[in-house]
Amino acid sequence: MITYEYIEQEYNKALEHAYGLIPARNWSSLPTSLVLTNSPRRLGIANESTGEVSINARYKNTTAYTSLRNTIFHELAHFCVGTHNNHNKVFKRVLSRFTAHFEVDKSELQQLIQQVDFKWHVVAHLENGHVHEIGGVHRKTKIYAEYPHYRPNAIHTIKGVKVLRYEYRQNR
């Protein structure tokens, strides 16, 4: 199981690996500390102004080891190229160099998603009578709440079957 100590250990190893690939003198800014966050939406945050790499506390008590490593490298890539590059080609190229040696299993992400306290759950009602689970969301959006009127020319399908309407179900 992942602990705070394990997160620190992985952060230090990732930082050493990243500096080995791209020397610190070539980075836009350098990370100075690691903190845990309880963000409901993000697995990690790179804050160049404070030098903090924030990792979501949801990782604790899971076995999402590869996802954790990927999140750490993701935030380090932001420091390397600068957060002003967001997720552009430059960022993606650096992230690819940092994470070329592993791939994240989707089951790890499911462990983290299951811990999120989403306010709403979205389901799609299909033309064939089936109901398809979309997943949890924090807030209602027009794309689902006003479908199909929000964008009348954009017809949604799931596995080739037309979506008639979406429904929000309150979780809490």
Short mmCIF file of all heavy atoms in Angstrom, two decimals, residues 49-85:
data_model
loop_
_atom_site.label_atom_id
_atom_site.label_comp_id
_atom_site.label_asym_id
_atom_site.label_seq_id
_atom_site.Cartn_x
_atom_site.Cartn_y
_atom_site.Cartn_z
N SER A 49 5.27 29.13 -8.82
CA SER A 49 5.52 30.30 -7.97
C SER A 49 5.97 29.89 -6.56
O SER A 49 6.76 30.60 -5.94
CB SER A 49 4.30 31.21 -7.90
OG SER A 49 3.21 30.54 -7.31
N THR A 50 5.51 28.74 -6.07
CA THR A 50 5.93 28.28 -4.73
C THR A 50 6.97 27.17 -4.80
O THR A 50 7.59 26.85 -3.79
CB THR A 50 4.72 27.76 -3.92
OG1 THR A 50 4.19 26.60 -4.59
CG2 THR A 50 3.65 28.82 -3.76
N GLY A 51 7.11 26.57 -5.97
CA GLY A 51 8.03 25.44 -6.13
C GLY A 51 7.45 24.12 -5.64
O GLY A 51 8.14 23.11 -5.59
N GLU A 52 6.16 24.12 -5.30
CA GLU A 52 5.54 22.91 -4.75
C GLU A 52 5.03 21.96 -5.83
O GLU A 52 4.42 22.38 -6.80
CB GLU A 52 4.33 23.28 -3.87
CG GLU A 52 4.68 23.90 -2.56
CD GLU A 52 3.45 24.23 -1.73
OE1 GLU A 52 2.33 24.26 -2.27
OE2 GLU A 52 3.63 24.45 -0.53
N VAL A 53 5.31 20.69 -5.60
CA VAL A 53 4.68 19.62 -6.35
C VAL A 53 3.65 19.04 -5.40
O VAL A 53 4.00 18.51 -4.34
CB VAL A 53 5.69 18.53 -6.77
CG1 VAL A 53 4.98 17.34 -7.37
CG2 VAL A 53 6.72 19.09 -7.74
N SER A 54 2.39 19.17 -5.76
CA SER A 54 1.30 18.64 -4.93
C SER A 54 0.82 17.32 -5.53
O SER A 54 0.55 17.24 -6.73
CB SER A 54 0.13 19.61 -4.88
OG SER A 54 0.51 20.84 -4.33
N ILE A 55 0.72 16.31 -4.69
CA ILE A 55 0.23 15.00 -5.09
C ILE A 55 -1.03 14.72 -4.27
O ILE A 55 -1.07 14.96 -3.07
CB ILE A 55 1.30 13.90 -4.84
CG1 ILE A 55 2.57 14.20 -5.65
CG2 ILE A 55 0.74 12.52 -5.16
CD1 ILE A 55 2.39 14.20 -7.16
N ASN A 56 -2.04 14.18 -4.93
CA ASN A 56 -3.31 13.94 -4.26
C ASN A 56 -3.18 12.87 -3.19
O ASN A 56 -2.61 11.80 -3.43
CB ASN A 56 -4.38 13.54 -5.27
CG ASN A 56 -5.77 13.80 -4.74
OD1 ASN A 56 -6.14 13.28 -3.69
ND2 ASN A 56 -6.53 14.62 -5.45
N ALA A 57 -3.73 13.17 -2.03
CA ALA A 57 -3.69 12.24 -0.90
C ALA A 57 -4.49 10.97 -1.18
O ALA A 57 -4.32 9.97 -0.47
CB ALA A 57 -4.21 12.92 0.36
N ARG A 58 -5.32 10.97 -2.22
CA ARG A 58 -6.07 9.76 -2.59
C ARG A 58 -5.16 8.59 -2.92
O ARG A 58 -5.59 7.44 -2.88
CB ARG A 58 -6.96 10.04 -3.80
CG ARG A 58 -8.29 10.62 -3.45
CD ARG A 58 -9.15 10.69 -4.68
NE ARG A 58 -8.94 11.99 -5.29
CZ ARG A 58 -9.14 12.25 -6.56
NH1 ARG A 58 -9.53 11.33 -7.38
NH2 ARG A 58 -8.94 13.47 -7.03
N TYR A 59 -3.91 8.87 -3.26
CA TYR A 59 -2.98 7.78 -3.57
C TYR A 59 -2.68 6.93 -2.35
O TYR A 59 -2.38 5.75 -2.47
CB TYR A 59 -1.67 8.34 -4.13
CG TYR A 59 -1.72 8.62 -5.61
CD1 TYR A 59 -1.72 9.91 -6.08
CD2 TYR A 59 -1.78 7.58 -6.52
CE1 TYR A 59 -1.77 10.17 -7.44
CE2 TYR A 59 -1.83 7.82 -7.88
CZ TYR A 59 -1.83 9.12 -8.33
OH TYR A 59 -1.89 9.36 -9.68
N LYS A 60 -2.76 7.54 -1.16
CA LYS A 60 -2.45 6.78 0.06
C LYS A 60 -3.43 5.62 0.21
O LYS A 60 -4.61 5.74 -0.11
CB LYS A 60 -2.50 7.70 1.27
CG LYS A 60 -1.32 8.66 1.31
CD LYS A 60 -1.35 9.71 2.37
CE LYS A 60 -1.89 9.34 3.69
NZ LYS A 60 -1.83 10.42 4.67
N ASN A 61 -2.92 4.50 0.68
CA ASN A 61 -3.70 3.29 0.92
C ASN A 61 -4.27 2.66 -0.35
O ASN A 61 -5.28 1.98 -0.30
CB ASN A 61 -4.81 3.55 1.94
CG ASN A 61 -4.25 4.02 3.26
OD1 ASN A 61 -3.27 3.48 3.75
ND2 ASN A 61 -4.84 5.06 3.81
N THR A 62 -3.62 2.92 -1.50
CA THR A 62 -3.98 2.24 -2.74
C THR A 62 -2.76 1.47 -3.23
O THR A 62 -1.68 1.57 -2.64
CB THR A 62 -4.40 3.23 -3.85
OG1 THR A 62 -3.25 3.94 -4.32
CG2 THR A 62 -5.47 4.21 -3.37
N THR A 63 -2.94 0.76 -4.33
CA THR A 63 -1.81 0.09 -4.98
C THR A 63 -1.59 0.69 -6.36
O THR A 63 -1.11 0.02 -7.27
CB THR A 63 -2.06 -1.43 -5.09
OG1 THR A 63 -3.28 -1.64 -5.81
CG2 THR A 63 -2.13 -2.08 -3.72
N ALA A 64 -1.90 1.96 -6.52
CA ALA A 64 -1.76 2.66 -7.81
C ALA A 64 -0.34 3.18 -7.99
O ALA A 64 -0.11 4.36 -8.22
CB ALA A 64 -2.78 3.79 -7.89
N TYR A 65 0.63 2.29 -7.91
CA TYR A 65 2.04 2.65 -7.94
C TYR A 65 2.46 3.32 -9.25
O TYR A 65 3.15 4.33 -9.23
CB TYR A 65 2.92 1.42 -7.70
CG TYR A 65 2.66 0.74 -6.38
CD1 TYR A 65 1.98 -0.48 -6.32
CD2 TYR A 65 3.08 1.32 -5.19
CE1 TYR A 65 1.75 -1.10 -5.10
CE2 TYR A 65 2.84 0.71 -3.97
CZ TYR A 65 2.17 -0.50 -3.94
OH TYR A 65 1.92 -1.10 -2.74
N THR A 66 2.06 2.75 -10.37
CA THR A 66 2.47 3.29 -11.66
C THR A 66 1.78 4.62 -11.94
O THR A 66 2.38 5.55 -12.47
CB THR A 66 2.16 2.29 -12.80
OG1 THR A 66 2.67 1.02 -12.42
CG2 THR A 66 2.82 2.71 -14.09
N SER A 67 0.52 4.73 -11.55
CA SER A 67 -0.20 5.99 -11.71
C SER A 67 0.46 7.09 -10.89
O SER A 67 0.59 8.23 -11.34
CB SER A 67 -1.66 5.83 -11.31
OG SER A 67 -2.33 7.06 -11.38
N LEU A 68 0.88 6.76 -9.68
CA LEU A 68 1.58 7.72 -8.83
C LEU A 68 2.86 8.21 -9.52
O LEU A 68 3.10 9.40 -9.61
CB LEU A 68 1.92 7.11 -7.47
CG LEU A 68 2.84 7.95 -6.58
CD1 LEU A 68 2.18 9.26 -6.18
CD2 LEU A 68 3.25 7.15 -5.35
N ARG A 69 3.66 7.27 -10.03
CA ARG A 69 4.89 7.64 -10.73
C ARG A 69 4.57 8.54 -11.93
O ARG A 69 5.24 9.54 -12.16
CB ARG A 69 5.64 6.39 -11.21
CG ARG A 69 6.69 5.91 -10.25
CD ARG A 69 7.60 4.86 -10.85
NE ARG A 69 6.94 3.63 -11.27
CZ ARG A 69 6.55 2.64 -10.47
NH1 ARG A 69 6.76 2.70 -9.20
NH2 ARG A 69 5.98 1.57 -10.94
N ASN A 70 3.54 8.19 -12.67
CA ASN A 70 3.15 8.98 -13.83
C ASN A 70 2.75 10.40 -13.42
O ASN A 70 3.14 11.37 -14.06
CB ASN A 70 2.00 8.30 -14.57
CG ASN A 70 1.66 9.00 -15.86
OD1 ASN A 70 2.47 9.04 -16.78
ND2 ASN A 70 0.48 9.58 -15.92
N THR A 71 1.99 10.52 -12.34
CA THR A 71 1.56 11.84 -11.85
C THR A 71 2.77 12.67 -11.42
O THR A 71 2.86 13.86 -11.74
CB THR A 71 0.55 11.70 -10.70
OG1 THR A 71 -0.61 11.00 -11.20
CG2 THR A 71 0.13 13.04 -10.14
N ILE A 72 3.69 12.05 -10.72
CA ILE A 72 4.89 12.78 -10.28
C ILE A 72 5.67 13.28 -11.51
O ILE A 72 6.05 14.45 -11.58
CB ILE A 72 5.78 11.90 -9.37
CG1 ILE A 72 5.08 11.65 -8.03
CG2 ILE A 72 7.15 12.55 -9.15
CD1 ILE A 72 5.74 10.59 -7.16
N PHE A 73 5.90 12.40 -12.48
CA PHE A 73 6.61 12.80 -13.70
C PHE A 73 5.84 13.88 -14.46
O PHE A 73 6.44 14.79 -15.04
CB PHE A 73 6.90 11.61 -14.61
CG PHE A 73 8.10 10.81 -14.19
CD1 PHE A 73 7.99 9.46 -13.92
CD2 PHE A 73 9.35 11.40 -14.08
CE1 PHE A 73 9.10 8.71 -13.55
CE2 PHE A 73 10.47 10.67 -13.71
CZ PHE A 73 10.34 9.31 -13.44
N HIS A 74 4.53 13.78 -14.46
CA HIS A 74 3.70 14.79 -15.13
C HIS A 74 3.95 16.17 -14.53
O HIS A 74 4.18 17.14 -15.25
CB HIS A 74 2.22 14.40 -14.99
CG HIS A 74 1.27 15.33 -15.67
ND1 HIS A 74 0.63 15.01 -16.83
CD2 HIS A 74 0.84 16.56 -15.32
CE1 HIS A 74 -0.14 16.02 -17.18
NE2 HIS A 74 -0.04 16.98 -16.28
N GLU A 75 3.95 16.24 -13.21
CA GLU A 75 4.18 17.53 -12.55
C GLU A 75 5.62 18.01 -12.74
O GLU A 75 5.86 19.20 -12.94
CB GLU A 75 3.81 17.45 -11.07
CG GLU A 75 2.36 17.03 -10.80
CD GLU A 75 1.31 17.68 -11.69
OE1 GLU A 75 1.47 18.87 -12.03
OE2 GLU A 75 0.34 17.01 -12.05
N LEU A 76 6.57 17.10 -12.72
CA LEU A 76 7.95 17.48 -12.98
C LEU A 76 8.13 18.02 -14.40
O LEU A 76 8.89 18.96 -14.63
CB LEU A 76 8.90 16.31 -12.71
CG LEU A 76 9.01 15.86 -11.25
CD1 LEU A 76 9.95 14.66 -11.14
CD2 LEU A 76 9.45 16.99 -10.35
N ALA A 77 7.41 17.43 -15.34
CA ALA A 77 7.48 17.92 -16.73
C ALA A 77 6.99 19.36 -16.81
O ALA A 77 7.52 20.16 -17.58
CB ALA A 77 6.67 17.01 -17.66
N HIS A 78 5.98 19.70 -16.00
CA HIS A 78 5.50 21.09 -15.97
C HIS A 78 6.61 22.03 -15.49
O HIS A 78 6.80 23.12 -16.04
CB HIS A 78 4.28 21.25 -15.07
CG HIS A 78 3.00 20.85 -15.73
ND1 HIS A 78 2.52 21.43 -16.88
CD2 HIS A 78 2.07 19.92 -15.37
CE1 HIS A 78 1.37 20.89 -17.21
NE2 HIS A 78 1.07 19.97 -16.31
N PHE A 79 7.36 21.62 -14.48
CA PHE A 79 8.48 22.45 -14.00
C PHE A 79 9.57 22.54 -15.06
O PHE A 79 10.15 23.60 -15.27
CB PHE A 79 9.07 21.87 -12.70
CG PHE A 79 8.33 22.29 -11.47
CD1 PHE A 79 7.33 21.49 -10.94
CD2 PHE A 79 8.62 23.49 -10.84
CE1 PHE A 79 6.64 21.88 -9.81
CE2 PHE A 79 7.93 23.90 -9.71
CZ PHE A 79 6.94 23.08 -9.19
N CYS A 80 9.82 21.45 -15.74
CA CYS A 80 10.89 21.42 -16.74
C CYS A 80 10.61 22.39 -17.88
O CYS A 80 11.49 23.17 -18.26
CB CYS A 80 11.05 20.00 -17.28
SG CYS A 80 12.42 19.81 -18.44
N VAL A 81 9.41 22.37 -18.43
CA VAL A 81 9.11 23.20 -19.60
C VAL A 81 8.41 24.51 -19.24
O VAL A 81 8.29 25.39 -20.08
CB VAL A 81 8.25 22.44 -20.64
CG1 VAL A 81 8.95 21.19 -21.10
CG2 VAL A 81 6.86 22.13 -20.11
N GLY A 82 7.96 24.64 -18.00
CA GLY A 82 7.22 25.83 -17.58
C GLY A 82 5.73 25.60 -17.72
O GLY A 82 5.27 25.04 -18.72
N THR A 83 4.98 26.00 -16.71
CA THR A 83 3.53 25.79 -16.74
C THR A 83 2.85 26.58 -17.85
O THR A 83 1.74 26.24 -18.26
CB THR A 83 2.89 26.11 -15.37
OG1 THR A 83 3.25 27.44 -15.00
CG2 THR A 83 3.33 25.14 -14.30
N HIS A 84 3.51 27.61 -18.36
CA HIS A 84 2.93 28.37 -19.47
C HIS A 84 2.76 27.50 -20.72
O HIS A 84 1.96 27.81 -21.60
CB HIS A 84 3.77 29.61 -19.80
CG HIS A 84 5.14 29.28 -20.30
ND1 HIS A 84 6.18 28.95 -19.44
CD2 HIS A 84 5.63 29.19 -21.56
CE1 HIS A 84 7.25 28.70 -20.16
NE2 HIS A 84 6.95 28.83 -21.44
N ASN A 85 3.48 26.39 -20.81
CA ASN A 85 3.36 25.47 -21.95
C ASN A 85 2.16 24.54 -21.81
O ASN A 85 1.87 23.78 -22.74
CB ASN A 85 4.64 24.66 -22.13
CG ASN A 85 5.68 25.44 -22.88
OD1 ASN A 85 5.46 25.85 -24.01
ND2 ASN A 85 6.81 25.68 -22.24
#
